[in-house]
Amino acid sequence: MNRGDFRERLKNYTEEPLDSDWSKMAQLLDINEKKKRRRPFFWKILAGAMLIGALVGGALFFTFKSSPVILPEAEVQESTIIADETEVQEETKINSVTSNIVPKEKITKELSNRDAQTSETKSKIQDKKIKNASTKKAQPNATLAIEAPMNATTIFNSPREVKNNKEQNPVGDSASQMKSSVPLVAFSDEDDKGVKSKNNKDAILGLTNLTSLPLNTIEFQNQRAEEELSLQFSQKPEVKIYKTTSNYLALGLTASFPNVGLGDSREPFLIPNQSLIPNLGIEVGAGRKWSSGMSLELGARTSYFQYRLSNLLSARSPAGGFAEADLFDVNDNREAARINRHMIISPYLRIAYDWDILKSSFIGLFAAVGPNFVFDLPSTNVEGLGNLELDTNVANPTESITAFDITKSETSYECEFGITLGQKVLQRSKVTFNFSYGLTMGNLLSGTVFLEQNNESLDSDIYQVSANGPRFKMRYIF
Amino acid sequence: MEIHELNDILADCVRQDRRSQEKLYNYTYQKLIGTAMRYAGSREDAKWVFNLAMMKVYKNIEKFKIGTNFLGWANDILIKTSIDNIRKNTRHQRIMAPVDSSFVEGNKVTLNEALNSLATEKIMEMVQRLGEKERMVFSLYVIDGFKHKEIAEMTGINMNTCKWLLGKAKKELKEMIGVLNEIRLSK
């Protein structure tokens, strides 16, 4: 009896599906859609975080690129000369660099020989101008004081005269050009304001015990003041660098090792094969460091980890059918084999304290707190399903058990404590190595593995991945 | 199902319309479950593999050019999924062909005639009784028409081993047919 070519008959074999067939398929589609739905949200978050990070990082970089070394300011803040009607004048000189008030004995001595010194001092000042030319270049504020024309000093007996003078010489008045270094306004005692100014100044500066000295020309006094300033700078061209508060930007590479554990400790059928999962990432932070060595930093870390569940876990039979068996991917050895991929975004607030050791090295302690947001990346399994199976061939070839899992990512909160070893490099940059340990509240991932035999559920068990574990970081701070 | 109707369903499946997905499932199941059954060891396994293959179809439906041969495309996915499934099941079974595989050739006509004389369901049942890899190679070579070289590339099995597995499958089928005939005669 020949029924035709069996090949064709097998190829054209048809069979109507049952309703239950579609319902199973629909369940698989639902699970897959659930996984899919989370992905657009993740990409939006990632894109947003990268954009904000780039903007903040760029802004901080350009803002804090040049700052913290502050040189002592060589600027005369104030100098007041007041003449009374008996032509007795007190002179107060305040130098912001030395913060010294010129002693009254010195002033007295200088002024008592004023007639003899007037011509001599003028030439001396001219000599100083030439002699200190190089020093003045390095001391711009001092240069301003000495370069102002000496013969432009004017005596005013009242504020009204000052006003009139300004009106007459609005531009090019050399006295007003020198106002930033040596104010050249003097008030006679007849003027109430002048008296008040004098008294107030004396009270503030504690100069009430200074001896009042007569002075014929205010011009001379101003010249003396400028000479004194020039001498001070030329004799001690010292530049001091002070430790100050500074802002910084930090970029780092991180390696951490999330921990694998089992949720059901009573009668688990899952056995962890691997307790740690390598997790690599980068972090960007911006912070402020105080001269005391303490620093506060705000930043974010992005890290990535992947694993095969079949490598992570083994199983033992819930019914005693086999002692221990491997879980393995349905699509093992294929490109389509399943690998779970996840990304963690962790904003953090970090406080640290550093101590200098040796010449350019330092050691420190730090602590950081922040949440961990975990996102699922597209997995390589084309089905998008739990597709594990139990390899029970060795123990009992006749027993066929299927396993599948549902893994979901979670948000957790963590504290991190560690030590820093650092080295200053280039001019202001530092390279640091951080060794730390993370403690978390909650898990990064939580998964449930179900066992089925002949489409009937046998058992289920939970596995968890938490961020507890050691960490290593290398950071570049600039 | 008319071609234009199928094309409409496929277009709706791209938009992930669930009713269209169901229609496509039923249509494809009817046509291709036979392929799944030839590669799987049981009806349940065949259904599981078919569902896995359909997941791939739904996921990649955007890549399918509407208007071309949908069943051919889906059949390719189904065969590859079946091969993956068999590879998984036989992961720890290292099969090496014996040095002398001369018995592969011969008795070809007799076996084909014997199979032609059987009912389709009976042939399907016998094929499913074959070992995993024998079944896979037999289906690929005899029914789906792939060459040994192609089978070797698809499955990762050595070409000589493929020939040996094919011969073994035929031998087993002959034995099954012999047993079947004996039962018939005894009745």
Side-chain angles (χ1 to χ4, degrees):
Chain A
M1 182 179 61
N2 193 334
R3 303 189 185 193
D5 186 11
F6 76 95
R7 296 180 192 86
E8 288 305 314
R9 281 190 286 141
L10 284 175
K11 270 190 171 181
N12 297 327
Y13 178 86
T14 58
E15 187 180 298
E16 288 296 323
L18 304 171
D19 289 340
S20 60
D21 294 328
W22 167 247
S23 63
K24 281 180 185 172
M25 186 74 227
Q27 281 179 0
L28 298 181
L29 284 168
D30 287 340
I31 294 170
N32 187 49
E33 277 182 13
K34 234 181 203 177
K35 282 194 170 184
K36 257 187 175 177
R37 250 180 252 136
R38 288 203 296 243
R39 286 175 193 162
F41 177 70
F42 163 73
W43 289 116
K44 282 177 191 172
I45 289 283
L46 184 65
M50 286 174 74
L51 185 66
I52 291 168
L55 289 174
V56 171
L60 289 172
F61 177 74
F62 288 111
T63 305
F64 304 137
K65 197 176 178 183
S66 58
S67 77
V69 177
I70 297 176
L71 298 175
E73 292 181 6
E75 186 179 359
V76 177
Q77 289 181 339
E78 189 179 354
S79 177
T80 307
I81 301 168
I82 300 169
D84 58 17
E85 61 184 355
T86 59
E87 294 188 349
V88 174
Q89 180 180 334
E90 288 181 355
E91 178 177 338
T92 304
K93 299 175 184 178
I94 300 169
N95 189 317
S96 63
V97 176
T98 58
S99 298
N100 288 333
I101 297 168
V102 179
K104 60 183 180 180
E105 292 82 5
K106 190 176 180 182
I107 296 172
T108 307
K109 188 180 176 184
E110 285 172 359
L111 296 181
S112 63
N113 300 318
R114 63 188 182 281
D115 293 333
Q117 290 177 345
T118 302
S119 58
E120 183 189 340
T121 307
K122 281 183 179 176
S123 61
K124 194 177 175 184
I125 290 170
Q126 294 303 321
D127 290 341
K128 291 289 177 188
K129 274 178 78 175
I130 298 163
K131 191 178 175 182
N132 296 331
S134 59
T135 308
K136 286 173 217 163
K137 281 179 185 172
Q139 307 288 342
N141 294 316
T143 305
L144 179 64
I146 203 72
E147 281 180 353
M150 296 300 106
N151 58 1
T153 307
T154 311
I155 302 169
F156 302 110
N157 290 320
S158 70
R160 192 173 297 147
E161 287 183 26
V162 175
K163 191 179 177 185
N164 290 340
N165 184 64
K166 279 185 179 175
E167 286 171 358
Q168 286 166 11
N169 304 300
V171 181
D173 186 324
S174 55
S176 59
Q177 286 174 1
M178 294 177 69
K179 64 186 176 183
S180 63
S181 57
V182 184
L184 300 173
V185 179
F187 300 106
S188 72
D189 215 15
E190 292 172 354
D191 186 286
D192 288 343
K193 291 179 182 175
V195 173
K196 282 176 184 172
S197 297
K198 173 184 177 298
N199 293 338
N200 290 341
K201 190 64 68 179
D202 289 349
I204 292 165
L205 300 174
L207 301 177
T208 48
N209 294 327
L210 286 175
T211 307
S212 294
L213 297 171
L215 182 66
N216 290 331
T217 59
I218 303 298
E219 182 182 10
F220 169 75
Q221 283 298 304
N222 288 321
Q223 287 166 355
R224 293 293 303 168
E226 289 171 2
E227 181 189 15
E228 189 65 32
L229 282 173
S230 302
L231 284 170
Q232 284 165 1
F233 280 112
S234 61
Q235 285 163 3
K236 281 193 172 182
E238 188 179 354
V239 177
K240 288 183 179 177
I241 298 173
Y242 293 91
K243 265 192 169 181
T244 58
T245 300
S246 60
N247 298 307
Y248 65 87
L249 192 65
L251 289 176
L253 297 174
T254 69
S256 59
F257 304 91
N259 188 278
V260 184
L262 296 177
D264 183 3
S265 58
R266 289 167 299 167
E267 292 179 348
F269 72 82
L270 293 176
I271 306 162
N273 285 338
Q274 184 181 324
S275 57
L276 300 173
I277 306 172
N279 175 8
L280 301 174
I282 55 170
E283 71 177 30
V284 180
R288 189 168 181 82
K289 184 170 184 178
W290 286 269
S291 55
S292 61
M294 195 184 85
S295 61
L296 200 62
E297 180 182 320
L298 198 60
R301 182 172 61 251
T302 302
S303 55
Y304 167 85
F305 72 98
Q306 66 174 43
Y307 64 92
R308 282 174 188 251
L309 194 58
S310 53
N311 291 341
L312 216 60
L313 302 166
S314 287
R316 57 177 162 233
S317 171
F322 52 89
E324 190 171 327
D326 292 333
L327 287 165
F328 62 92
D329 297 315
V330 167
N331 292 307
D332 194 41
N333 298 326
R334 297 280 294 177
E335 289 178 1
R338 179 171 134 181
I339 299 174
N340 287 344
R341 294 190 163 100
H342 301 280
M343 180 167 278
I344 309 172
I345 294 182
S346 314
Y348 65 84
L349 179 66
R350 172 189 160 115
I351 185 165
Y353 198 90
D354 296 338
W355 294 272
D356 286 338
I357 53 170
L358 302 179
K359 192 179 175 184
S360 57
S361 305
F362 61 91
I363 191 167
L365 294 173
F366 73 91
V369 291
N372 290 316
F373 300 110
V374 184
F375 301 94
D376 298 339
L377 294 179
S379 178
T380 49
N381 70 318
V382 283
E383 290 82 20
L385 304 169
N387 55 352
L388 295 167
E389 290 222 358
L390 274 176
D391 176 16
T392 58
N393 290 340
V394 179
N396 187 354
T398 58
E399 188 178 36
S400 174
I401 298 176
T402 305
F404 67 94
D405 77 291
I406 297 173
T407 303
K408 59 177 182 176
S409 50
E410 296 178 351
T411 299
S412 59
Y413 299 89
E414 69 167 25
C415 287
E416 184 186 3
F417 305 96
I419 60 167
T420 301
L421 297 176
Q423 174 74 32
K424 291 168 188 169
V425 293
L426 302 178
Q427 287 181 338
R428 292 175 45 214
S429 303
K430 297 166 194 168
V431 173
T432 66
F433 297 91
N434 300 272
F435 305 90
S436 60
Y437 194 87
L439 293 171
T440 56
M441 287 171 60
N443 298 305
L444 299 174
L445 297 173
S446 179
T448 308
V449 180
F450 300 89
L451 281 192
E452 282 187 355
Q453 192 169 33
N454 299 326
N455 291 329
E456 287 184 10
S457 176
L458 288 180
D459 202 351
S460 66
D461 204 354
I462 297 168
Y463 73 96
Q464 294 162 337
V465 179
S466 78
N468 289 344
R471 292 168 192 191
F472 172 73
K473 292 178 192 174
M474 188 174 78
R475 284 156 54 94
Y476 187 80
I477 297 167
F478 54 93
Chain B
M1 185 182 285
E2 298 292 326
I3 290 176
H4 67 86
E5 193 182 349
L6 176 64
N7 290 344
D8 289 344
I9 289 172
L10 289 170
D12 290 339
C13 283
V14 172
R15 293 192 292 273
Q16 298 187 344
D17 177 62
R18 189 50 68 90
R19 291 180 71 89
S20 299
Q21 284 177 332
E22 185 178 357
K23 284 180 188 171
L24 187 69
Y25 179 87
N26 290 336
Y27 171 72
T28 314
Y29 184 100
Q30 188 186 12
K31 299 286 183 186
L32 298 183
I33 190 64
T35 303
M37 286 172 70
R38 276 190 281 121
Y39 285 91
S42 67
R43 181 176 292 271
E44 286 307 312
D45 279 355
K47 286 183 176 183
W48 168 248
V49 170
F50 181 80
N51 283 355
L52 291 181
M54 282 306 289
M55 280 299 301
K56 294 179 187 176
V57 167
Y58 290 135
K59 268 193 162 184
N60 296 290
I61 196 114
E62 290 173 4
K63 296 175 190 168
F64 175 71
K65 197 175 175 183
I66 293 176
T68 57
N69 183 4
F70 169 75
L71 283 178
W73 180 67
N75 194 54
D76 285 348
I77 291 175
L78 180 56
I79 289 173
K80 285 174 183 170
T81 307
S82 300
I83 291 170
D84 283 345
N85 197 44
I86 291 166
R87 284 163 62 103
K88 173 268 303 180
N89 287 338
T90 58
R91 194 167 66 134
H92 297 293
Q93 296 173 8
R94 296 194 65 183
I95 298 172
M96 299 293 288
V99 177
D100 180 15
S101 57
S102 55
F103 68 92
V104 170
E105 305 299 330
N107 295 329
K108 202 183 286 181
V109 176
T110 314
L111 178 64
N112 284 353
E113 283 179 351
L115 287 170
N116 285 341
S117 66
L118 292 173
T120 309
E121 287 77 12
K122 203 73 202 173
I123 300 169
M124 193 74 85
E125 191 184 319
M126 288 196 302
V127 169
Q128 285 181 342
R129 282 188 186 177
L130 292 171
E132 295 266 16
K133 292 200 171 180
E134 289 89 334
R135 187 171 61 240
M136 176 177 68
V137 173
F138 180 82
S139 292
L140 285 169
Y141 185 85
V142 175
I143 300 166
D144 291 314
F146 290 100
K147 307 291 180 196
H148 280 301
K149 193 180 173 184
E150 291 170 328
I151 296 169
E153 287 170 0
M154 287 167 73
T155 61
I157 300 172
N158 179 282
M159 206 162 76
N160 283 331
T161 308
C162 284
K163 289 178 183 175
W164 175 74
L165 284 168
L166 179 65
K168 200 172 168 219
K170 286 180 175 176
K171 188 183 172 191
E172 285 177 11
L173 284 172
K174 275 175 68 180
E175 286 172 359
M176 281 186 249
I177 291 167
V179 171
L180 195 68
N181 287 334
E182 282 177 16
I183 294 169
R184 278 183 186 166
L185 289 172
S186 65
K187 284 181 181 178

